[in-house]
Amino acid sequence: MSFTIKTQSFEGPLDLLLDLIEKRKLFISDISLAKVTDDFIMHVKQFEHLPMGESAHFILIASTLLLIKSKSLLPELALSEEEQTDISDLETRLKIFKRIKEASIGIQNLFGKQIIFGRSQSRIISPVFAPSPEFTLEKALFLLTDLINRFPKQETLPKHVVRKVISLEEMISTLTTRITSHLKMSFKEFTKEHKGNRVNVIVSFLAMLELMKKGILEVSQETHFGEIQMETKEVGVPRY
Amino acid sequence: MEQNPTDLPISAKIEAVLFCKAEPMSKKKLSTLLGVDESSLQHGLETLREALSGRGISLVETNEDVMLGTAKELAGLIEQFTKDELSENLGKAGLETLSIVLYQGPISRTDIDHIRGVNSQFILRNLLVRGLVERIENPSDTRSFLYKPSLDLLAHLGISKIEDLPSFAQVRSDIDSFKKGIDNTNEGKNSKN
Amino acid sequence: MEQNPTDLPISAKIEAVLFCKAEPMSKKKLSTLLGVDESSLQHGLETLREALSGRGISLVETNEDVMLGTAKELAGLIEQFTKDELSENLGKAGLETLSIVLYQGPISRTDIDHIRGVNSQFILRNLLVRGLVERIENPSDTRSFLYKPSLDLLAHLGISKIEDLPSFAQVRSDIDSFKKGIDNTNEGKNSKN
């Protein structure tokens, strides 16, 4: 796995995701998204040092990818309507983003190449004093106060993004419950060493999914739940 | 002047006023000044556009505004004595955002953020300051804005109206069908394989 | 472009240069710029004069100089247009820009643009024409200007010194701290993108 790509070269999670898909010469679909989920999360791991504002957008996409991956590994997993919407919404957004990126090549080729120049402003101006009755001192102060209040603030993260990111662990734990209900496996054991680190929780979860996929095959043969944990320990947690 | 039997056609009047104004002018203002309705004005603009073909000056137009500029073929000549204030490199984020505004504008910041997957607040502000993008009040929500390409941006791309952008109609219809969940592009056909 | 077989004729080049220049130009300079001799230039000027007949702009020529102007038949229209421009309301953008110049002047256009978050080029021009602001050479950059309120405006507002403006100190410090912020962080970061 390559870690040489600098974080700065991606303008956002969709940019990264699209790049991963295109590198594998895949088309945008739930199948290709499931395939690049691990890669995506490996990249997101590098952004852990970024402020909440910037990493939140990546985590949000990671959570949707997690759903897609879970569904692809465990087709019997039933997704809620909201989860389905998140998945198809991500595909749509990626397709639109891709189309825009393609179009932007054409824009880049035109930009500044054959400029239509306007008329220069003549340097000589003979002003005619023409005040506007609307302009008063009160108006000036009002407009400036309004302007000052509207000055952009640093990193304003929309509330819904914060809410979704914060509920990421909840989502994973619900997913775990749903998947392991018949396997009696505790996800907590899997993740306790990564407490408080969202990306590592995702990584652990993915690892568990992989193991479970293998585990399920065993289950179907022996239907002895206890042995699964033994089996997974032998296989070991994949090292990311 | 109005009584003059040898009165010049409306296209000539438009040309004279735009020449004098030397900057973008709203079509609304122009039609008020000339005392004609919107469709006569648009007709006059078309006549002027034809009259200017092959000439040294050309017409640049958005839905709302119009201005006169030099012919794009002569950019090299004009550059010899005029400085170009806008050509500073756009960067990846700027180019992406500009393309969204060009192909999808007028568009809200929320929608731009949604397409890019990141916060576009500062990059949009940068484009506004450079005069490449303009904002207008959002008719469906007066507390927010919609962003659209400026006349200067079109002029800078050497196109005289937005429809002249490469694959303009195609890109728009592709994006519309993505939004509707219909995928008629190769993307859709191949992904099913 | 110079190698382009569909290159525009010399008359079109003259038209573009004079349009863009917006001031009289000596024929000598023009022929040097276009890389043609005097007689070709004169021939191009004749062609242009014919092409402009019946249009809104026309060629004005002395022995040495040449420039573009509006058609003389449209003098009445242009006069009306100029009058309208002066009596027009300033609009929110104009009022906002004027307020900034009032409280922050002398101030550069770049600073005004950054404070407003949009481009102010055309608005400043309008304020200059209306005698509401004046421009002075920027002592730290002779290629640019600083803008300040005109004496006429101050007298009109009944202000004898800038410090008498309502909440002057507060507004200035609020804006200055924002300016400092963009210089250090956001704008700098984004302009690299």
Side-chain angles (χ1 to χ4, degrees), chain B residues 90-108:
Chain B
L90 283 174
K92 204 171 156 183
L95 184 64
E96 232 173 70
T97 309
L98 213 51
S99 305
I100 294 172
V101 172
L102 279 165
Y103 285 92
Q104 293 286 284
I107 182 170
S108 71

Side-chain angles (χ1 to χ4, degrees), chain B residues 129-144:
Chain B
V129 166
R130 285 174 71 177
L132 294 170
V133 165
E134 279 173 8
R135 63 178 183 203
I136 50 170
E137 221 171 60
N138 189 344
S140 60
D141 174 11
T142 49
R143 291 160 309 164
S144 73

